Amino acid sequence: AREWGFPAGLIEKDEDPRQAAIREFKEEVGMDFEPISVSAPNLYSSAGMSNESVQVVFGLARGLPNTDLNEDSEDIQVHMMEMYDIVR
């Protein structure tokens, strides 16, 4: 099975959401990321028996996508999309 998703990951010790977004974007997409804004903390992407919460970081990407920094277990294909195509 496959899923469509945004670059994501855990916030490491001594990181804030912006720093984590920069790191994860580079690791998963191979591009530089400039955070512009961060959502409120403690958003929940699923209902039920989980205490996992998320924060969404919006920003600008620069460079060409590549998967050179992906781990061997990751099968990531990058698809560039305009905001219009995402919200449609």
Side-chain angles (χ1 to χ4, degrees):
R2 299 279 183 203
E3 79 168 280
W4 284 82
F6 296 103
L10 300 175
I11 298 173
E12 294 181 357
K13 184 180 178 185
D14 299 325
E15 269 187 333
D16 65 29
R18 291 172 185 263
Q19 294 166 319
I22 292 168
R23 178 181 50 76
E24 288 289 347
F25 208 84
K26 189 67 161 184
E27 289 175 4
E28 295 185 8
V29 183
M31 299 171 70
D32 294 324
F33 182 74
E34 179 185 338
I36 294 175
S37 65
V38 181
S39 72
N42 299 324
L43 300 176
Y44 297 91
S45 60
S46 61
M49 304 296 290
S50 173
N51 64 355
E52 179 181 78
S53 67
V54 300
Q55 278 189 273
V56 180
V57 181
F58 300 90
L60 300 173
R62 290 190 174 80
L64 297 174
N66 68 75
T67 55
D68 296 345
L69 297 176
N70 289 177
E71 296 178 11
D72 291 338
S73 61
E74 294 177 308
D75 180 17
I76 296 175
Q77 297 177 16
V78 179
H79 298 271
M80 302 299 289
M81 300 177 77
E82 296 291 333
M83 183 64 80
Y84 171 81
D85 295 320
I86 296 169
V87 299
R88 192 165 36 139

